[in-house]
Amino acid sequence: MSPSAPAPSPTSRLTATVLAVSLISIEFLAGMQRYLAQTVLPLVAAELDGAHLYGPLDAAAQAPMFLMMPVGAWLLSRFRVGRLMLVFTLVTVVGAVVGATATSMEVFVLGTAVRAFAAGALATVSMGAISRGLPPRHRQLVLAGMSGIWLFSSVLGPVYAVAASTALGWRWAMLLYLPLLLVARLMVARSMPERTEPAVHEPAPWRWAALLATGSAVLSLPLGTWSTLALLGGGALMLVATRAILPAGTLTATHGRRAGLTALMTTAAVFFGATIVLSVVAHDALGLDARQFGVVIAAPGLVWAVAALWTGSHPAFEPHAFRRRALGGGTAIAVGVAVLLATSLLADTPPRAFVGLLAGAAVLGLGMGSLYPDLLGRCLAEPEHDDGISSDRMAAAVVIAESVGMALATTTAYAWLGAGLGLVDDPRHRVQLLYVALLPLAVVMLRHLARAARTGTASPVEVSDSTSVGARPLERYGRAGRSDSAGGACRRRAHGPPRARQ
């Protein structure tokens, strides 16, 4: 994990720079697309009479992505990154065209599913480009840039979405940015170096990938009084599949990159579980209007981006430095949750609620921006001692860890705040109980962040994990999943790198 560790594949400084700029450009366009999707969704539903299909639309945006995430390492071990990038970019374009030309909401849902199918694969492919194609210094700068670029996406995304939709309609708004995406992806494909090390052929975990996708779909089912069973059943399916897909021992690891993966998953769960639902918290429970909660929901992503620009450009390579930074950032996240809880308990007027929510959201963003680039970099960097995880498998793994943590937390939070699962009627009490539940999860997160800072030699189980095919071959698998850019989960919202892909 030292800064002087050799890059997986040698590449010239110019080529590495072109690759880095292209990857950051893709992240920028992913952020633009996320704000575009939020803007045009009510316009689409109004024109196509499809508001009743919001639930299936959300499932269509998640389940295909989770299906393809775990297969990413298998693809990377068999095909060139550039070729994969071009093929799945074409699939993305097809999905966008299907959606933009839809004459019914059902067809629009189909286009969304096609794009999500490509997003799941492209998430791992893009992470593979970072892991395999960039030297350590470029890698850290790209991870920082992917966070910082959301400063621009969060401003220009809504401006583009509103302007294009108003002037030309939502259909053209969905298509106009695609040529820029094609150029950026082509540059990544052309800049990727050839593989120099022998390919480690991974088995494709189709069975577990299907289970993960099924769990994601079940988790989103609106079943009224049966929603609790849907959450429990869908969550259990996702956790079982995740445990099987990840490298063996990840969820119980006490050091190294496996512990880093679990830390990433729990950190994503706490942060997104607290922040993604802020608009509902602010409006339904605390009485804020759109102008007020619009500022609140923008705060975590903006502060995250600013903080990550500094931390990503000043990486904490050494274990003790990483520990200080990770625990400091994790503590800030826990404090942010506590501030939101205190606000829901004490704020008796909308102005006070606005100040409290804004403060809590900003502290959460500061914590995430402080630790995220280093945590991701620690997972992707080559360890001092072989831990039995190939770079392709790790590229897949970091994406799934974040995506699963976010999906479990945010879907559960939305279901709870929307109906209280038939147990709690008062919206304010639902908010209070949500943040009460997130506090012990934040303690678990801090424990896993401390474990991620520890180093150690690979155990026999970990080494055999990459070389043998035992009774549970998929347990040794890296995962994938973020979405078609490199950084982020997937279906996510406008909060930073991991949350939104094409």
Side-chain angles (χ1 to χ4, degrees):
M1 188 93 117
S2 72
S4 59
S9 299
T11 178
S12 70
R13 183 180 299 273
L14 177 60
T15 301
T17 300
V18 171
L19 178 59
V21 171
S22 300
L23 289 167
I24 293 174
S25 299
I26 292 173
E27 186 74 10
F28 168 72
L29 292 170
M32 294 278 288
Q33 193 278 330
R34 171 50 53 188
Y35 285 103
L36 172 65
Q38 292 177 329
T39 302
V40 304
L41 182 57
L43 305 178
V44 174
E47 181 174 327
L48 302 181
D49 191 26
H52 62 291
L53 293 179
Y54 279 150
L57 180 63
D58 184 68
Q62 293 186 54
M65 183 183 64
F66 278 120
L67 177 65
M68 291 303 297
M69 282 178 184
V71 182
W74 175 78
L75 292 170
L76 285 171
S77 70
R78 283 163 172 77
F79 304 99
R80 293 178 55 191
V81 169
R83 181 175 301 175
L84 292 172
M85 184 73 72
L86 292 177
V87 169
F88 284 105
T89 296
L90 178 61
V91 176
T92 299
V93 172
V94 170
V97 172
V98 170
T101 58
T103 56
S104 68
M105 194 63 172
E106 289 79 6
V107 176
F108 188 84
V109 170
L110 174 63
T112 300
V114 171
R115 296 174 68 186
F117 177 85
L122 282 168
T124 304
V125 172
S126 295
M127 192 58 62
I130 296 174
S131 177
R132 185 192 300 172
L134 294 173
R137 181 61 176 171
H138 281 76
R139 183 188 306 140
Q140 287 299 130
L141 290 175
V142 165
L143 294 176
M146 284 182 166
S147 293
I149 200 66
W150 280 78
L151 281 170
F152 301 98
S153 295
S154 62
V155 174
L156 297 179
V159 172
Y160 163 78
V162 172
S165 299
T166 302
L168 302 172
W170 63 265
R171 298 180 187 273
W172 278 107
M174 292 184 62
L175 298 176
L176 288 178
Y177 75 99
L178 289 179
L180 295 177
L181 180 65
L182 288 171
V183 171
R185 292 263 175 77
L186 179 61
M187 294 305 297
V188 171
R190 290 174 60 88
S191 303
M192 273 300 299
E194 295 286 350
R195 182 195 298 271
T196 57
E197 76 279 7
V200 179
H201 291 295
E202 309 277 4
W206 292 109
R207 179 164 62 97
W208 293 111
L211 186 64
L212 186 62
T214 300
S216 175
V218 171
L219 202 67
S220 305
L221 293 177
L223 299 179
T225 57
W226 296 94
S227 294
T228 301
L229 292 179
L231 286 172
L232 293 175
L237 289 176
M238 291 186 71
L239 288 175
V240 168
T242 300
R243 180 180 181 274
I245 291 168
L246 292 178
T250 291
L251 299 184
T252 56
T254 58
H255 65 270
R257 298 198 297 172
R258 284 175 169 81
L261 291 173
T262 306
L264 182 62
M265 183 163 62
T266 54
T267 301
V270 176
F271 177 82
F272 291 110
T275 58
I276 289 298
V277 296
L278 278 173
S279 60
V280 175
V281 170
H283 181 269
D284 293 359
L286 300 178
L288 272 64
D289 60 32
R291 290 175 299 176
Q292 292 172 313
F293 70 70
V295 176
V296 170
I297 64 177
L302 289 173
V303 178
W304 172 348
V306 173
L309 282 174
W310 189 89
T311 56
S313 59
H314 299 79
F317 286 110
E318 299 302 324
H320 67 278
F322 172 78
R323 179 184 174 89
R324 286 198 305 269
R325 185 172 291 179
L327 291 182
T331 300
I333 291 175
V335 170
V337 173
V339 171
L340 294 179
L341 172 61
T343 301
S344 68
L345 290 169
L346 303 176
D348 53 3
T349 64
R352 292 180 179 178
F354 171 76
V355 173
L357 291 180
L358 185 61
V363 173
L364 278 157
L366 177 63
M368 197 65 164
S370 298
L371 68 83
Y372 182 81
D374 283 305
L375 180 57
L376 201 58
R378 192 166 183 82
C379 290
L380 292 176
E382 292 294 329
E384 294 181 3
H385 306 282
D386 181 23
D387 59 5
I389 308 176
S390 69
S391 60
D392 289 344
R393 293 175 59 203
M394 182 54 71
V398 295
V399 181
I400 286 258
E402 185 180 348
S403 299
V404 170
M406 181 178 357
L408 288 172
T410 58
T411 303
T412 301
Y414 272 125
W416 172 253
L417 293 178
L421 302 180
L423 302 174
V424 178
D425 293 329
D426 183 36
R428 192 166 183 133
H429 289 164
R430 295 174 191 168
V431 170
Q432 294 164 357
L433 290 174
L434 169 65
Y435 289 123
V436 165
L438 285 175
L439 282 176
L441 184 58
V443 175
V444 174
M445 171 195 71
L446 289 169
R447 181 182 180 187
H448 285 295
L449 286 170
R451 289 180 172 183
R454 300 173 189 165
T455 58
T457 57
S459 68
V461 172
E462 291 171 333
V463 172
S464 64
D465 171 28
S466 67
T467 58
S468 65
V469 179
R472 301 179 64 194
L474 304 178
E475 189 178 49
R476 302 176 258 96
Y477 219 86
R479 23 217 192 108
R482 241 173 191 191
S483 80
D484 28 347
S485 91
C490 0
R491 68 195 196 279
R492 278 58 149 199
R493 350 291 179 178
H495 274 28
R499 303 63 17 247
R501 285 355 168 231
Q502 317 289 25

